[in-house]
mmCIF file with all atom_site columns, all heavy atoms in Angstrom:
data_model
loop_
_atom_site.group_PDB
_atom_site.id
_atom_site.type_symbol
_atom_site.label_atom_id
_atom_site.label_alt_id
_atom_site.label_comp_id
_atom_site.label_asym_id
_atom_site.label_entity_id
_atom_site.label_seq_id
_atom_site.pdbx_PDB_ins_code
_atom_site.Cartn_x
_atom_site.Cartn_y
_atom_site.Cartn_z
_atom_site.occupancy
_atom_site.B_iso_or_equiv
_atom_site.pdbx_formal_charge
_atom_site.auth_seq_id
_atom_site.auth_comp_id
_atom_site.auth_asym_id
_atom_site.auth_atom_id
_atom_site.pdbx_PDB_model_num
ATOM 1   N N   . ARG A 1 46  ? -3.204  -22.715 -8.122  1.00 98.00 ? 333 ARG A N   1
ATOM 2   C CA  . ARG A 1 46  ? -3.326  -24.129 -8.446  1.00 98.00 ? 333 ARG A CA  1
ATOM 3   C C   . ARG A 1 46  ? -4.270  -24.282 -9.635  1.00 98.00 ? 333 ARG A C   1
ATOM 4   O O   . ARG A 1 46  ? -4.011  -25.068 -10.538 1.00 98.00 ? 333 ARG A O   1
ATOM 5   C CB  . ARG A 1 46  ? -3.847  -24.916 -7.248  1.00 98.00 ? 333 ARG A CB  1
ATOM 6   C CG  . ARG A 1 46  ? -3.889  -26.385 -7.393  1.00 98.00 ? 333 ARG A CG  1
ATOM 7   C CD  . ARG A 1 46  ? -3.944  -27.071 -5.983  1.00 98.00 ? 333 ARG A CD  1
ATOM 8   N NE  . ARG A 1 46  ? -4.959  -26.493 -5.064  1.00 98.00 ? 333 ARG A NE  1
ATOM 9   C CZ  . ARG A 1 46  ? -6.256  -26.775 -5.127  1.00 98.00 ? 333 ARG A CZ  1
ATOM 10  N NH1 . ARG A 1 46  ? -6.741  -27.556 -6.060  1.00 98.00 ? 333 ARG A NH1 1
ATOM 11  N NH2 . ARG A 1 46  ? -7.073  -26.226 -4.275  1.00 98.00 ? 333 ARG A NH2 1
ATOM 12  N N   . ALA A 1 136 ? -17.358 10.425  -0.566  1.00 96.00 ? 423 ALA A N   1
ATOM 13  C CA  . ALA A 1 136 ? -17.090 11.880  -0.654  1.00 96.00 ? 423 ALA A CA  1
ATOM 14  C C   . ALA A 1 136 ? -16.950 12.485  0.750   1.00 96.00 ? 423 ALA A C   1
ATOM 15  O O   . ALA A 1 136 ? -16.073 13.340  0.951   1.00 96.00 ? 423 ALA A O   1
ATOM 16  C CB  . ALA A 1 136 ? -18.246 12.571  -1.426  1.00 96.00 ? 423 ALA A CB  1
ATOM 17  N N   . LYS A 1 163 ? 2.691   8.118   -17.490 1.00 98.00 ? 450 LYS A N   1
ATOM 18  C CA  . LYS A 1 163 ? 3.912   8.880   -17.695 1.00 98.00 ? 450 LYS A CA  1
ATOM 19  C C   . LYS A 1 163 ? 4.899   8.597   -16.586 1.00 98.00 ? 450 LYS A C   1
ATOM 20  O O   . LYS A 1 163 ? 6.109   8.382   -16.841 1.00 98.00 ? 450 LYS A O   1
ATOM 21  C CB  . LYS A 1 163 ? 3.563   10.409  -17.690 1.00 98.00 ? 450 LYS A CB  1
ATOM 22  C CG  . LYS A 1 163 ? 2.973   10.921  -19.005 1.00 98.00 ? 450 LYS A CG  1
ATOM 23  C CD  . LYS A 1 163 ? 2.750   12.469  -18.827 1.00 98.00 ? 450 LYS A CD  1
ATOM 24  C CE  . LYS A 1 163 ? 1.935   13.002  -20.016 1.00 98.00 ? 450 LYS A CE  1
ATOM 25  N NZ  . LYS A 1 163 ? 1.512   14.411  -19.781 1.00 98.00 ? 450 LYS A NZ  1
ATOM 26  N N   . ARG A 1 208 ? 10.563  0.662   -13.403 1.00 97.00 ? 495 ARG A N   1
ATOM 27  C CA  . ARG A 1 208 ? 9.658   -0.258  -14.057 1.00 97.00 ? 495 ARG A CA  1
ATOM 28  C C   . ARG A 1 208 ? 9.986   -1.724  -13.632 1.00 97.00 ? 495 ARG A C   1
ATOM 29  O O   . ARG A 1 208 ? 11.114  -2.050  -13.319 1.00 97.00 ? 495 ARG A O   1
ATOM 30  C CB  . ARG A 1 208 ? 9.738   -0.154  -15.558 1.00 97.00 ? 495 ARG A CB  1
ATOM 31  C CG  . ARG A 1 208 ? 8.990   1.052   -16.100 1.00 97.00 ? 495 ARG A CG  1
ATOM 32  C CD  . ARG A 1 208 ? 9.423   1.456   -17.537 1.00 97.00 ? 495 ARG A CD  1
ATOM 33  N NE  . ARG A 1 208 ? 9.435   0.370   -18.500 1.00 97.00 ? 495 ARG A NE  1
ATOM 34  C CZ  . ARG A 1 208 ? 8.620   0.309   -19.576 1.00 97.00 ? 495 ARG A CZ  1
ATOM 35  N NH1 . ARG A 1 208 ? 7.711   1.246   -19.809 1.00 97.00 ? 495 ARG A NH1 1
ATOM 36  N NH2 . ARG A 1 208 ? 8.723   -0.691  -20.432 1.00 97.00 ? 495 ARG A NH2 1
ATOM 37  N N   . ASP A 1 252 ? -18.544 -3.294  -29.911 1.00 97.00 ? 539 ASP A N   1
ATOM 38  C CA  . ASP A 1 252 ? -18.424 -1.816  -29.705 1.00 97.00 ? 539 ASP A CA  1
ATOM 39  C C   . ASP A 1 252 ? -17.056 -1.403  -29.177 1.00 97.00 ? 539 ASP A C   1
ATOM 40  O O   . ASP A 1 252 ? -16.440 -0.544  -29.635 1.00 97.00 ? 539 ASP A O   1
ATOM 41  C CB  . ASP A 1 252 ? -19.566 -1.388  -28.753 1.00 97.00 ? 539 ASP A CB  1
ATOM 42  C CG  . ASP A 1 252 ? -19.487 0.106   -28.393 1.00 97.00 ? 539 ASP A CG  1
ATOM 43  O OD1 . ASP A 1 252 ? -19.532 0.911   -29.354 1.00 97.00 ? 539 ASP A OD1 1
ATOM 44  O OD2 . ASP A 1 252 ? -19.414 0.445   -27.222 1.00 97.00 ? 539 ASP A OD2 1
ATOM 45  N N   . GLU A 1 289 ? -30.236 -22.345 -4.343  1.00 91.00 ? 576 GLU A N   1
ATOM 46  C CA  . GLU A 1 289 ? -31.407 -22.085 -3.477  1.00 91.00 ? 576 GLU A CA  1
ATOM 47  C C   . GLU A 1 289 ? -30.975 -22.007 -1.981  1.00 91.00 ? 576 GLU A C   1
ATOM 48  O O   . GLU A 1 289 ? -31.564 -21.263 -1.251  1.00 91.00 ? 576 GLU A O   1
ATOM 49  C CB  . GLU A 1 289 ? -32.507 -23.071 -3.710  1.00 91.00 ? 576 GLU A CB  1
ATOM 50  C CG  . GLU A 1 289 ? -33.361 -22.542 -4.892  1.00 91.00 ? 576 GLU A CG  1
ATOM 51  C CD  . GLU A 1 289 ? -34.160 -23.582 -5.630  1.00 91.00 ? 576 GLU A CD  1
ATOM 52  O OE1 . GLU A 1 289 ? -34.277 -24.703 -5.087  1.00 91.00 ? 576 GLU A OE1 1
ATOM 53  O OE2 . GLU A 1 289 ? -34.631 -23.268 -6.734  1.00 91.00 ? 576 GLU A OE2 1
ATOM 54  N N   . ASP A 1 299 ? -32.127 -6.854  3.461   1.00 81.00 ? 586 ASP A N   1
ATOM 55  C CA  . ASP A 1 299 ? -30.795 -6.821  2.854   1.00 81.00 ? 586 ASP A CA  1
ATOM 56  C C   . ASP A 1 299 ? -30.913 -6.866  1.336   1.00 81.00 ? 586 ASP A C   1
ATOM 57  O O   . ASP A 1 299 ? -30.093 -6.219  0.607   1.00 81.00 ? 586 ASP A O   1
ATOM 58  C CB  . ASP A 1 299 ? -29.954 -8.024  3.323   1.00 81.00 ? 586 ASP A CB  1
ATOM 59  C CG  . ASP A 1 299 ? -29.376 -7.786  4.677   1.00 81.00 ? 586 ASP A CG  1
ATOM 60  O OD1 . ASP A 1 299 ? -29.628 -6.695  5.306   1.00 81.00 ? 586 ASP A OD1 1
ATOM 61  O OD2 . ASP A 1 299 ? -28.594 -8.618  5.184   1.00 81.00 ? 586 ASP A OD2 1
ATOM 62  N N   . LEU A 1 312 ? -31.801 3.812   -5.746  1.00 81.00 ? 599 LEU A N   1
ATOM 63  C CA  . LEU A 1 312 ? -32.919 2.912   -6.023  1.00 81.00 ? 599 LEU A CA  1
ATOM 64  C C   . LEU A 1 312 ? -33.466 2.433   -4.668  1.00 81.00 ? 599 LEU A C   1
ATOM 65  O O   . LEU A 1 312 ? -33.269 1.302   -4.298  1.00 81.00 ? 599 LEU A O   1
ATOM 66  C CB  . LEU A 1 312 ? -32.419 1.732   -6.889  1.00 81.00 ? 599 LEU A CB  1
ATOM 67  C CG  . LEU A 1 312 ? -33.518 0.850   -7.553  1.00 81.00 ? 599 LEU A CG  1
ATOM 68  C CD1 . LEU A 1 312 ? -34.369 1.649   -8.500  1.00 81.00 ? 599 LEU A CD1 1
ATOM 69  C CD2 . LEU A 1 312 ? -32.833 -0.285  -8.335  1.00 81.00 ? 599 LEU A CD2 1
ATOM 70  N N   . GLU A 1 345 ? -35.833 -8.552  -18.815 1.00 84.00 ? 632 GLU A N   1
ATOM 71  C CA  . GLU A 1 345 ? -35.630 -9.733  -19.623 1.00 84.00 ? 632 GLU A CA  1
ATOM 72  C C   . GLU A 1 345 ? -36.184 -10.986 -18.968 1.00 84.00 ? 632 GLU A C   1
ATOM 73  O O   . GLU A 1 345 ? -36.654 -11.909 -19.650 1.00 84.00 ? 632 GLU A O   1
ATOM 74  C CB  . GLU A 1 345 ? -34.174 -9.959  -19.965 1.00 84.00 ? 632 GLU A CB  1
ATOM 75  C CG  . GLU A 1 345 ? -33.717 -8.951  -21.060 1.00 84.00 ? 632 GLU A CG  1
ATOM 76  C CD  . GLU A 1 345 ? -32.253 -8.972  -21.253 1.00 84.00 ? 632 GLU A CD  1
ATOM 77  O OE1 . GLU A 1 345 ? -31.571 -9.762  -20.624 1.00 84.00 ? 632 GLU A OE1 1
ATOM 78  O OE2 . GLU A 1 345 ? -31.789 -8.134  -22.067 1.00 84.00 ? 632 GLU A OE2 1
ATOM 79  N N   . ILE A 1 367 ? -25.978 -21.683 -13.369 1.00 95.00 ? 654 ILE A N   1
ATOM 80  C CA  . ILE A 1 367 ? -26.239 -22.803 -12.416 1.00 95.00 ? 654 ILE A CA  1
ATOM 81  C C   . ILE A 1 367 ? -26.205 -24.072 -13.254 1.00 95.00 ? 654 ILE A C   1
ATOM 82  O O   . ILE A 1 367 ? -27.063 -24.250 -14.126 1.00 95.00 ? 654 ILE A O   1
ATOM 83  C CB  . ILE A 1 367 ? -27.628 -22.623 -11.768 1.00 95.00 ? 654 ILE A CB  1
ATOM 84  C CG1 . ILE A 1 367 ? -27.674 -21.265 -11.026 1.00 95.00 ? 654 ILE A CG1 1
ATOM 85  C CG2 . ILE A 1 367 ? -27.918 -23.749 -10.798 1.00 95.00 ? 654 ILE A CG2 1
ATOM 86  C CD1 . ILE A 1 367 ? -29.046 -20.764 -10.645 1.00 95.00 ? 654 ILE A CD1 1
ATOM 87  N N   . PHE A 1 381 ? -16.814 -17.423 -25.794 1.00 98.00 ? 668 PHE A N   1
ATOM 88  C CA  . PHE A 1 381 ? -15.445 -17.273 -26.204 1.00 98.00 ? 668 PHE A CA  1
ATOM 89  C C   . PHE A 1 381 ? -15.281 -17.355 -27.714 1.00 98.00 ? 668 PHE A C   1
ATOM 90  O O   . PHE A 1 381 ? -14.509 -16.625 -28.351 1.00 98.00 ? 668 PHE A O   1
ATOM 91  C CB  . PHE A 1 381 ? -14.548 -18.299 -25.498 1.00 98.00 ? 668 PHE A CB  1
ATOM 92  C CG  . PHE A 1 381 ? -13.080 -18.215 -25.843 1.00 98.00 ? 668 PHE A CG  1
ATOM 93  C CD1 . PHE A 1 381 ? -12.315 -17.123 -25.494 1.00 98.00 ? 668 PHE A CD1 1
ATOM 94  C CD2 . PHE A 1 381 ? -12.493 -19.264 -26.578 1.00 98.00 ? 668 PHE A CD2 1
ATOM 95  C CE1 . PHE A 1 381 ? -10.977 -17.047 -25.843 1.00 98.00 ? 668 PHE A CE1 1
ATOM 96  C CE2 . PHE A 1 381 ? -11.154 -19.207 -26.911 1.00 98.00 ? 668 PHE A CE2 1
ATOM 97  C CZ  . PHE A 1 381 ? -10.392 -18.090 -26.534 1.00 98.00 ? 668 PHE A CZ  1
ATOM 98  N N   . TYR A 1 439 ? 9.665   7.246   -23.634 1.00 96.00 ? 726 TYR A N   1
ATOM 99  C CA  . TYR A 1 439 ? 10.812  8.097   -23.848 1.00 96.00 ? 726 TYR A CA  1
ATOM 100 C C   . TYR A 1 439 ? 11.972  7.322   -24.526 1.00 96.00 ? 726 TYR A C   1
ATOM 101 O O   . TYR A 1 439 ? 12.992  7.888   -24.838 1.00 96.00 ? 726 TYR A O   1
ATOM 102 C CB  . TYR A 1 439 ? 11.348  8.639   -22.510 1.00 96.00 ? 726 TYR A CB  1
ATOM 103 C CG  . TYR A 1 439 ? 10.271  9.391   -21.730 1.00 96.00 ? 726 TYR A CG  1
ATOM 104 C CD1 . TYR A 1 439 ? 9.762   8.835   -20.563 1.00 96.00 ? 726 TYR A CD1 1
ATOM 105 C CD2 . TYR A 1 439 ? 9.800   10.625  -22.140 1.00 96.00 ? 726 TYR A CD2 1
ATOM 106 C CE1 . TYR A 1 439 ? 8.813   9.517   -19.858 1.00 96.00 ? 726 TYR A CE1 1
ATOM 107 C CE2 . TYR A 1 439 ? 8.836   11.300  -21.410 1.00 96.00 ? 726 TYR A CE2 1
ATOM 108 C CZ  . TYR A 1 439 ? 8.300   10.749  -20.247 1.00 96.00 ? 726 TYR A CZ  1
ATOM 109 O OH  . TYR A 1 439 ? 7.386   11.408  -19.520 1.00 96.00 ? 726 TYR A OH  1
ATOM 110 N N   . PRO A 1 444 ? 7.841   3.770   -31.091 1.00 76.00 ? 731 PRO A N   1
ATOM 111 C CA  . PRO A 1 444 ? 7.439   4.046   -32.485 1.00 76.00 ? 731 PRO A CA  1
ATOM 112 C C   . PRO A 1 444 ? 7.307   5.580   -32.776 1.00 76.00 ? 731 PRO A C   1
ATOM 113 O O   . PRO A 1 444 ? 7.769   6.039   -33.797 1.00 76.00 ? 731 PRO A O   1
ATOM 114 C CB  . PRO A 1 444 ? 6.133   3.331   -32.672 1.00 76.00 ? 731 PRO A CB  1
ATOM 115 C CG  . PRO A 1 444 ? 5.885   2.487   -31.480 1.00 76.00 ? 731 PRO A CG  1
ATOM 116 C CD  . PRO A 1 444 ? 6.940   2.750   -30.497 1.00 76.00 ? 731 PRO A CD  1
#
Side-chain angles (χ1 to χ4, degrees):
Chain A
R333 187 160 48 77
K450 282 182 190 170
R495 282 164 49 115
D539 178 55
E576 274 157 14
D586 281 2
L599 194 60
E632 285 173 2
I654 302 163
F668 178 66
Y726 304 110

